Amino acid sequence: MTGHRLELSRTRDGIYLVHAADGRLLGSFYAESDGWWTAFPANGVQRRLYEPCADPAKIARRLFAR
């Protein structure tokens, strides 16, 4: 993950948007319940992640940093 900077913002309805350092939209994600998160990368494939104690920055790194 070294060298990959992610920009994270949150909409009013709780959806997080993840952008690359160059401004490209990498995808979005939101918290469900009981530690589950749902993500929608720019390639259109829905992903789910279980991370009960994570902050949004950690979720963004796990889902979008490559």
Side-chain angles (χ1 to χ4, degrees):
M1 286 189 233
T2 304
H4 296 278
R5 185 171 157 218
L6 301 176
E7 301 289 330
L8 185 62
S9 61
R10 184 177 179 195
T11 65
R12 282 193 257 157
D13 57 352
I15 297 171
Y16 292 91
L17 302 174
V18 182
H19 292 87
D22 64 3
R24 289 179 299 120
L25 178 65
L26 298 176
S28 62
F29 66 95
Y30 62 90
E32 290 186 37
S33 61
D34 299 325
W36 284 99
W37 298 79
T38 298
F40 298 92
N43 67 6
V45 177
Q46 179 180 340
R47 294 182 60 196
R48 294 188 75 213
L49 173 70
Y50 181 71
E51 185 62 61
C53 299
D55 67 320
K58 181 178 179 181
I59 298 297
R61 284 190 306 273
R62 285 189 61 189
L63 290 169
F64 298 102
R66 302 193 194 251

